[in-house]
């Protein structure tokens, strides 16, 4: 019995020793293969030409486990021999050790990656804030308790009647850059000396008796915007204390594709009264006259040779008609703001044709009464002074009498047929010729239509753009 027990004890000891040897050999081969795989090494070939499979190592990120297959192929030798099978107890020991080692390695790796990924970016060096220089202040603005209203007379901006958000008037210098735009502002007199508001027009083939001083095309919308600014303040029950060349500034960007100066009024406003409204229009007329004088060397001669429609508008501003009507287009201010003398040259013929078509659509007696108000009793004599107008009067197929109805029809035909085959006159030249020979046609038609309550149907303001 004791001998049997001894033999069994020796067998158990040898079996444990053999298991230990196989355990260390398999462990060494396994970690050797795993190290080669991590370094990107190619698997070694068997002597028989086959490739020895490496131990597959799969890591689950959620559990951070290392799973090793328990098949005998995982611990197969590389020298053409097959190692003895590894016991399940030894594989379990390896798994436990690998789990603990992998957790520590992955934990340190993830902590390092997280610290590098979520590191805050370097704080940029703050740039100094851009401080714009304040607008220049006048002596009146610096005085305590001064309330200034800057009113913009511009085609492209809304007019402001607020005195709290108004701009400060510039210093009395010749010109200065506006910090809020590309415009340069000028004093009114200095600007018109650099850019005259009138020119001496001599149309093609026109006799010298019809040569006149007329508005520059850019000045027409500028004057209208100034008058509209005044009327808009009056509509808001405000009036300007005084409008002079000293408190009017002109803003302009001479390098822009379109030359569009803007006039701004810098003066105090107060609650409007009838006399105050009337005085504002009188002051505006005086301002326009002063700008005309300042832009020429011989102001007396220029005022004498001004076009008749411009003289009519300046005369209306000296004694403005502030009558009211249920429709604002029938009041006197509407005619002041939309006077035909401020129509652009290319819009004068369309305006006349609109008036003519309107009168032809009403009762014939009403139309004849309106036509009888047209100016120039000897209108045919004026037409004979120019070759083009003479050709329309005599050589065309139409025949005209001396009465005013035929005068209206004659103007309609000339405005509708400005050019002909191989004509030497361009359309804009024909408009200029008509205006110099018959400058009061449009103004008189506008006033007649206003008295006949037909100006509402004409929508005169649409012709100014």
């Amino acid at each position: 019995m004791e001998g049997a027990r001894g033999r069994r004890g020796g067998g158990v000891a040898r079996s444990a020793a053999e298991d230990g040897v196989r355990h260390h050999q398999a462990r060494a081969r396994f970690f050797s293969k795993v190290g080669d795989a991590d370094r990107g090494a190619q698997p070694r070939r068997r002597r028989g030409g086959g490739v020895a499979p490496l131990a597959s190592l799969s890591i689950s990120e959620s559990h951070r486990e290392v799973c090793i297959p328990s098949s005998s192929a995982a611990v197969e030798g590389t020298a053409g021999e097959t190692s003895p099978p590894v016991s399940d107890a030894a594989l379990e020991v390896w798994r436990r050790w690998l789990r603990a080692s992998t957790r520590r390695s992955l934990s340190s790796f993830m902590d390092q990656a997280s610290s590098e990924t979520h590191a805050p970016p370097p704080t940029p060096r703050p740039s100094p804030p851009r401080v714009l220089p304040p607008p220049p202040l006048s002596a009146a603005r610096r005085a305590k308790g001064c309330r200034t209203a800057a009113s913009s007379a511009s085609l492209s901006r809304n007019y402001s009647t607020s005195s709290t958000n108004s701009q400060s008037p510039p210093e009395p210098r010749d010109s200065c850059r506006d910090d809020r735009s590309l415009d340069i502002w000028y004093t009114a007199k200095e600007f018109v000396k650099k850019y005259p508001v009138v020119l001496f027009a001599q149309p093609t083939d026109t006799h010298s008796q019809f040569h006149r001083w007329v508005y520059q095309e850019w000045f027409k919308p500028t004057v209208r915007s100034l008058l509209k600014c005044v009327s808009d303040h009056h509509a808001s029950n405000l009036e300007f204390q005084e409008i002079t060349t000293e408190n009017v500034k002109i803003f302009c960007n001479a390098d822009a594709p379109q030359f569009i100066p803007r006039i701004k009024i810098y003066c105090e406003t107060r609650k409007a009264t009838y006399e105050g409204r009337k005085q504002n229009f009188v002051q505006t007329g005086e301002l326009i006259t002063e700008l005309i004088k300042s832009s020429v060397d011989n102001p007396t001669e220029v005022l004498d040779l001004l076009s008749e429609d411009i003289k009519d508008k300046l005369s209306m501003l000296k004694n403005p008609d502030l009558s009211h009507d249920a429709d604002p287009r029938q009041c006197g201010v509407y005619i002041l703001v939309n006077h035909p003398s401020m129509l652009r040259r290319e819009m004068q013929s369309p305006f006349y044709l609109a008036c003519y078509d309107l009168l032809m659509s009403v009762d014939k007696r009403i139309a004849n009464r309106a036509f009888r108000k047209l100016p120039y009793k000897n209108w045919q004599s004026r037409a004979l002074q120019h070759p083009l107008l003479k050709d329309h009067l005599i050589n065309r197929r139409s025949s005209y009498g001396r009465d005013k109805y035929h005068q209206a029809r004659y103007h309609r035909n000339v405005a509708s047929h400005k050019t002909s085959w191989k004509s030497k006159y361009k359309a804009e030249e024909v408009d200029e010729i008509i205006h110099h020979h018959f400058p009061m046609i449009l103004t008189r038609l506008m006033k007649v239509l206003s008295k006949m309550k037909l100006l509402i149907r004409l929508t005169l303001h649409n012709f100014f753009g």
Side-chain angles (χ1 to χ4, degrees):
M1 291 291 291
E2 292 177 0
R5 290 177 182 174
R7 286 193 298 272
R8 284 197 298 272
V12 172
R14 285 193 300 273
S15 177
E18 291 175 358
D19 289 342
V21 172
R22 289 195 298 272
H23 165 73
H24 287 293
Q25 291 176 353
R27 182 181 179 188
R29 288 194 302 272
F30 174 78
F31 284 107
S32 175
K33 294 174 183 286
V34 172
D36 293 342
D38 291 340
R39 291 189 299 270
Q42 297 293 332
R44 294 172 294 180
R45 292 186 174 274
R46 297 184 183 181
R47 292 181 181 178
V51 178
L54 299 177
S56 60
L57 180 64
S58 61
I59 303 174
S60 175
E61 293 184 0
S62 60
H63 298 86
R64 296 182 181 177
E65 293 179 353
V66 179
C67 302
I68 305 174
S70 60
S71 62
S72 60
V75 293
E76 191 175 355
T78 60
E81 298 177 355
T82 303
S83 301
V86 181
S87 63
D88 294 338
L91 290 176
E92 184 63 25
V93 172
W94 299 339
R95 292 190 182 100
R96 291 176 182 175
W97 182 85
L98 286 175
R99 288 194 190 101
S101 177
T102 303
R103 287 193 188 98
R104 289 192 298 270
S105 299
L106 287 177
S107 178
S108 61
F109 173 76
M110 294 298 292
D111 293 342
Q112 181 180 1
S114 177
S115 63
E116 293 178 357
T117 303
H118 300 284
T123 304
R125 180 179 298 177
S127 58
R130 182 182 178 186
V131 180
L132 295 177
L137 299 177
S138 65
R141 180 67 175 178
R142 287 191 295 267
K144 184 177 180 180
C146 176
R147 183 173 62 91
T148 304
S151 306
S152 172
S154 171
L155 290 177
S156 59
R157 297 186 180 181
N158 295 328
Y159 306 118
S160 173
T161 58
S162 173
S163 60
T164 57
N165 297 328
S166 60
Q167 300 177 2
S168 303
E171 292 289 349
R173 291 176 290 175
D174 291 342
S175 62
C176 178
R177 174 72 66 179
D178 184 7
D179 294 334
R180 289 171 290 275
S181 68
L182 296 177
D183 293 347
I184 296 178
W185 63 261
Y186 305 81
T187 59
K189 290 186 177 181
E190 183 64 23
F191 184 84
V192 298
K193 289 180 180 179
K194 187 175 182 180
Y195 304 101
V197 300
V198 291
L199 62 88
F200 190 65
Q202 307 175 53
T204 306
D205 298 335
T206 301
H207 195 271
S208 60
Q209 65 175 339
F210 298 106
H211 295 172
R212 291 290 184 269
W213 286 89
V214 296
Y215 282 151
Q216 295 272 13
E217 288 300 308
W218 65 264
F219 190 59
K220 294 178 180 179
T222 304
V223 171
R224 182 175 182 268
S225 65
L226 177 63
L227 292 169
K228 192 173 188 304
C229 174
V230 175
S231 65
D232 286 348
H233 276 75
H234 293 174
S236 300
N237 201 26
L238 290 174
E239 68 181 32
F240 292 102
Q241 182 173 344
E242 188 179 15
I243 302 175
T244 64
T245 56
E246 301 300 327
N247 55 27
V248 169
K249 309 301 176 185
I250 299 180
F251 290 73
C252 177
N253 181 11
D255 298 330
Q258 292 182 341
F259 187 73
I260 307 178
R262 297 176 293 110
I263 292 182
K264 292 185 179 181
I265 304 174
Y266 292 91
C267 71
E268 296 182 4
T269 58
R270 58 195 176 195
K271 188 176 180 180
T273 61
Y274 177 82
E275 291 298 329
R277 291 188 179 99
K278 186 174 181 179
Q279 188 65 22
N280 278 170
F281 282 110
V282 173
Q283 293 169 352
T284 303
E286 294 174 352
L287 172 64
I288 296 173
T289 304
E290 188 65 28
L291 293 180
I292 294 174
K293 292 180 179 180
S294 300
S295 60
V296 295
D297 298 330
N298 47 350
T300 304
E301 179 184 351
V302 171
L303 293 179
D304 292 339
L305 293 178
L306 273 178
S307 180
E308 292 182 42
D309 55 344
I310 299 178
K311 289 182 179 180
D312 180 79
K313 187 191 69 174
L314 295 178
S315 176
M316 293 177 64
L317 288 173
K318 290 181 181 180
N319 187 21
D321 178 15
L322 303 184
S323 59
H324 293 278
D325 193 89
D327 193 305
R329 290 173 292 182
Q330 288 294 147
C331 63
V333 175
Y334 182 79
I335 299 178
L336 283 174
V337 176
N338 299 284
H339 195 274
S341 64
M342 296 178 290
L343 279 171
R344 290 187 177 273
R345 184 60 47 79
E346 62 271 13
M347 296 305 299
Q348 292 174 355
S349 290
F351 174 72
Y352 178 82
L353 293 175
C355 294
Y356 183 85
D357 293 340
L358 176 61
L359 290 174
M360 295 301 291
S361 65
V362 300
D363 187 83
K364 188 174 181 179
R365 291 174 297 178
I366 298 176
N368 288 332
R369 190 164 66 248
F371 290 145
R372 283 195 293 267
K373 299 293 184 180
L374 291 179
Y376 312 114
K377 183 178 180 181
N378 298 322
W379 65 273
Q380 289 189 353
S381 299
R382 283 179 167 262
L384 293 174
Q385 299 295 322
H386 193 277
L388 175 67
L389 301 180
K390 180 180 179 180
D391 179 64
H392 275 277
L393 183 63
I394 297 177
N395 299 330
R396 303 297 174 100
R397 296 181 179 180
S398 300
S399 59
Y400 304 99
R402 292 183 177 272
D403 56 64
K404 295 301 181 68
Y405 166 73
H406 286 91
Q407 179 186 1
R409 192 167 63 88
Y410 169 79
H411 287 301
R412 180 261 178 194
N413 292 336
V414 176
S416 301
H417 307 284
K418 300 177 186 178
T419 58
S420 59
W421 181 252
K422 294 184 178 181
S423 175
K424 70 174 184 178
Y425 302 103
K426 298 180 180 178
E428 55 270 19
E429 293 177 338
V430 176
D431 287 328
E432 188 178 15
I433 292 170
I434 296 174
H435 177 260
H436 277 256
H437 284 77
F438 305 98
M440 286 295 293
I441 288 290
L442 302 181
T443 302
R444 187 65 59 83
L445 272 178
M446 177 198 66
K447 293 181 178 180
V448 169
L449 293 176
S450 177
K451 291 181 179 180
M452 300 174 68
K453 304 296 183 181
L454 295 176
L455 198 61
I456 302 175
R457 299 168 56 180
L458 188 59
T459 60
L460 173 60
H461 56 276
N462 290 337
F463 290 91
F464 292 90

